[in-house]
Amino acid sequence: MTAWLSFVAIGVLASLAGALWRVWRGPAPADRMMAAQLVGTGGVAVLILLAAVQDWAALDVAVALALLAALAAVGFVKAGTPDGAGDPEEEAPPADMQLSAMTPDAAAQVGRTRRDPDRRRGDG
Amino acid sequence: MTAALGLALDAALCALILGVALAVVAGRGVFRAVVFFIVYGLLAAVAWVRLDAVNVALAEAAIGAGLTGVLLLAAHGRLRRAEAAQDLAHGMPWSAALAGGALAAALGWAWFEMPIPVEPGPELAEALPRAGVGNPVTAVLLNFRAWDTLLESIVLLAALIGVWMLAREGDWREPLGRPQHARPGGVMAGFGRVLPPVGLLVGVWLVWAGADHPGGAFQGGTVLAAVGLVAVLAGVIRPPWIGAPLWQGALVLGPAVFLLAGIAGAVLAGGFLTLPEGFAKPAIVTIEVALTVSIAVTLAFLVLGPPEAEGAG
Amino acid sequence: MAALSIYALTGAALVGLGFFGLLAARHLLRRVVAFNLIGSGLFLYFGAAATRGAAPDPVPQALIITGIVVALAASALAVALVVAQVRAAGRATLPEEEDAP
Amino acid sequence: MADLATLLFTALGLVFFAAGTVGLIRFPDTFSRLHALTKADNLGLGFIALGVAFQAESWAQVARIALIWVLALLAAGAVAQLVARAALMRRGGA
């Protein structure tokens, strides 16, 4: 059973490599951040597996990681608001950008045309 | 079979870590580097578990994956407008590559040349039963090498004073950090109310369990700092101003109790910071609780940064 | 032992990468990150060395824990200094390193 | 019996993780990629946690595994909502 669980852990790590590609590629900051979030979820999974493989105390590390998984993302969301200290729910998005008001095609169009804000500033 | 798979697991993990580190230093874009560094912290926590260092993994998980991320992301948000068009040197800095490569090679060479020590320190194995706690790392931190830990708690305070000295004159009486706000009843505010109680429980458990199981003042303190930060970011708790007496008391509580215990040891047990054998456990637990409070408050304040009023930029 | 060598060599490579990043980066925030990478690599190297005996040696582990916490405190101070530098000079690079346009 | 359950559930979890990664790589825009992440991966984590729970030696360990999954779900739900809104806002030229 230990061998199988180690194998599953390797498999989860391999799937994290795909998430790392998305962190590298972006293009939007939200893509990078969400991919990092996936690495966090995968890390928790690996820790649970390692708990059974080597030491059940690793579960405490998994609890800590799961508890704080959202911290970085909350920091990201805050930093993206105009004053760097707000909440995206406070401001309504511009009317023409509301996806519910769009046909699926139009929404996909927005996704394709409005690319990497980082890159437009020349550092993406 | 199991051993080979374990080795493959280590190799895969290290390959990911190295790839992430390469992306941190070589990828264009400050934001990309910051996100990769957060990912690095997550993977490093897993690596520490593989190295049989659950105590370290706990600290790394809370700091590397949580607090550092918030610190760097907030700073990046602040600096976005001032960001220079160019964040790396032009072209390939060959001399820097050479220096880094030489350093890595020297360390790699040293690894194979280093003598393997007589393990695990016979003096330590002999002294551990008298330390008062079953977790050897806690015993080292709060009993055998208490000097290091005492001075370290003072270093944290020094760093915090350094951060506060960067506050502008007019902001001195403002709450720490930037004024955080969130939509009342929104997702963020709700999250900021649900998570901290659970985190409080986990943090206290880590301190309590730290005497005999992995955990302790540093691990519990960092978890508490992180969930406190969630509450502040979500606008649930308003941070105090620098001079708030209660919070200043919390900052110095740990070092003060530690110092008092040290002096008591000098009087009663014949040496500064020597814990008398029969009282080792209660003394360690007392110091640890006080230290946890101070570490949690200091780290949270450090990440929040100097006070800054609205509209400042 | 082989597994420990993997981690130690990874730590050594991290120190090298961090040092490279420290020298190659212009943006001050990137320098703070690179410096953290050096520290973390050293911790990994040290931690691998601590695990070579029959049981993991708790003394290096205790030092690494305090080291991780101090590294965060130093980073917080460095980040606050970077923010102050940007406020004073308007840019996140050092003046002597600004490139000709 | 317990080993069989572990085998089955962890394998299922791995499949969901792989699916989440494929979605993350293949889906065309930020918002559909958000789906891949928050749903597939937390299901994957849930199955792996369930599988490992069959190997646990005490109820305290099972409780901890359950806590981990609940925390992960809570985090994923809140984060997906917030990041999606943040992405929408940045796009709107804010």
Side-chain angles (χ1 to χ4, degrees):
Chain A
M1 195 38 65
T2 310
W4 166 254
L5 292 177
S6 304
F7 173 76
V8 175
I10 295 172
V12 174
L13 283 179
S15 85
L16 293 189
L20 292 183
W21 179 82
R22 182 52 78 189
V23 180
W24 176 264
R25 182 80 175 69
D31 284 312
R32 300 187 204 276
M33 198 65 235
M34 285 312 291
Q37 185 76 21
L38 184 146
V39 179
T41 312
V44 173
V46 172
L47 284 172
I48 293 179
L49 290 163
L50 286 183
V53 171
Q54 51 182 108
D55 182 359
W56 285 102
L59 278 184
D60 281 343
V61 186
V63 171
L65 211 56
L67 186 70
L68 304 178
L71 188 55
V74 171
F76 160 75
V77 165
K78 296 233 99 172
T81 55
D83 67 346
D87 172 359
E89 284 191 298
E90 286 172 321
E91 297 93 345
D96 65 314
M97 285 295 162
Q98 267 164 358
L99 287 183
S100 58
M102 276 186 217
T103 60
D105 278 356
Q109 191 62 38
V110 174
R112 274 196 294 276
T113 50
R114 306 294 296 250
R115 302 284 279 204
D116 189 0
D118 269 351
R119 183 162 298 156
R120 265 183 283 139
R121 278 198 318 279
D123 79 332
Chain B
M1 179 68 182
T2 308
L5 273 171
L7 210 58
L9 180 60
D10 291 327
L13 183 59
C14 284
L16 284 186
I17 289 178
L18 284 177
V20 168
L22 193 64
V24 168
V25 296
R28 296 244 160 225
V30 180
F31 184 73
R32 173 151 59 185
V34 167
V35 174
F36 266 114
F37 191 66
I38 295 170
V39 172
Y40 172 83
L42 292 164
L43 295 175
V46 180
W48 284 117
V49 170
R50 287 297 292 167
L51 284 172
D52 283 327
V54 175
N55 284 289
V56 183
L58 280 167
E60 180 74 51
I63 289 187
L67 292 175
T68 311
V70 175
L71 178 73
L72 292 173
L73 285 167
H76 176 258
R78 299 289 315 278
L79 303 185
R80 246 180 323 173
R81 263 163 279 142
E83 208 167 86
Q86 181 214 5
D87 60 323
L88 293 174
H90 275 305
M92 178 69 189
W94 289 109
S95 53
L98 201 66
L103 197 54
L107 278 171
W109 173 78
W111 171 259
F112 292 106
E113 292 299 308
M114 229 180 346
I116 294 180
V118 189
E119 297 270 337
E123 302 91 345
L124 189 74
E126 186 247 335
L128 205 51
R130 289 184 281 112
V133 283
N135 180 354
V137 175
T138 302
V140 170
L141 277 173
L142 291 172
N143 199 342
F144 304 146
R145 295 192 65 94
W147 261 109
D148 289 350
T149 313
L150 172 62
L151 293 178
E152 197 241 0
S153 66
I154 296 169
V155 166
L156 291 186
L157 276 183
L160 183 60
I161 292 169
V163 169
W164 283 354
M165 282 168 72
L166 295 168
R168 279 170 301 186
E169 192 72 36
D171 292 338
W172 191 249
R173 287 185 165 273
E174 300 294 329
L176 291 172
R178 317 194 79 197
Q180 304 285 341
H181 49 94
R183 190 169 72 97
V187 174
M188 189 182 280
F191 188 68
R193 278 176 205 285
V194 173
L195 201 69
V198 185
L200 202 64
L201 217 63
V202 173
V204 170
W205 156 254
L206 284 178
V207 180
W208 175 248
D212 295 311
H213 303 280
F218 287 97
Q219 294 87 340
T222 47
V223 167
L224 290 178
V227 291
L229 216 53
V230 170
V232 171
L233 288 179
V236 177
I237 298 178
R238 201 175 139 85
W241 75 285
I242 290 175
L246 193 68
W247 291 97
Q248 286 194 336
L251 286 174
V252 297
L253 180 70
V257 169
F258 212 152
L259 214 54
L260 280 177
I263 293 168
V267 174
L268 300 173
F272 183 65
L273 283 172
T274 308
L275 302 179
E277 230 172 272
F279 295 99
K281 170 125 193 189
I284 286 180
V285 171
T286 312
I287 296 171
E288 215 169 10
V289 169
L291 212 52
T292 306
V293 172
S294 291
I295 290 171
V297 176
T298 313
L299 290 184
F301 284 2
L302 273 169
V303 175
L304 276 177
E308 221 174 299
E310 190 100 46
Chain C
M1 193 58 203
L4 289 183
S5 295
I6 295 178
Y7 285 102
L9 294 180
T10 303
L14 287 173
V15 174
L17 278 171
F19 195 62
F20 167 75
L22 189 65
L23 297 178
R26 291 290 163 83
H27 197 283
L28 290 173
L29 208 55
R30 292 197 74 142
R31 290 211 158 146
V32 176
V33 172
F35 200 78
N36 268 293
L37 217 50
I38 298 180
S40 191
L42 281 176
F43 293 149
L44 207 58
Y45 190 85
F46 196 22
T51 321
R52 288 185 301 168
D57 188 344
V59 178
Q61 291 192 6
L63 293 181
I64 291 167
I65 290 172
T66 54
I68 289 175
V69 177
V70 168
L72 174 71
S75 305
L77 182 55
V79 164
L81 284 168
V82 173
V83 171
Q85 148 80 8
V86 171
R87 204 160 54 199
R91 52 193 312 158
T93 47
L94 293 177
E96 63 267 26
E97 285 177 344
E98 275 162 23
D99 300 284
Chain D
M1 187 59 209
D3 279 4
L4 195 67
T6 302
L7 208 70
L8 191 72
F9 284 123
T10 48
L12 211 53
L14 186 54
V15 169
F16 273 101
F17 261 103
T21 301
V22 170
L24 186 69
I25 294 175
R26 297 287 306 157
F27 281 178
D29 64 279
T30 306
F31 295 98
S32 47
R33 285 194 284 264
L34 267 171
H35 282 288
L37 285 179
T38 46
K39 287 160 190 89
D41 285 312
N42 282 290
L43 217 52
L45 178 64
F47 278 123
I48 284 181
L50 188 61
V52 173
F54 279 99
Q55 302 289 318
E57 289 154 1
S58 70
W59 284 106
Q61 286 164 1
V62 176
R64 242 169 267 183
I65 292 174
L67 174 68
I68 291 166
W69 194 48
V70 170
L71 284 174
L73 281 186
L74 183 71
V79 163
Q81 180 85 358
L82 291 171
V83 171
R85 275 185 189 277
L88 206 58
M89 218 173 71
R90 283 186 193 217
R91 226 183 220 187

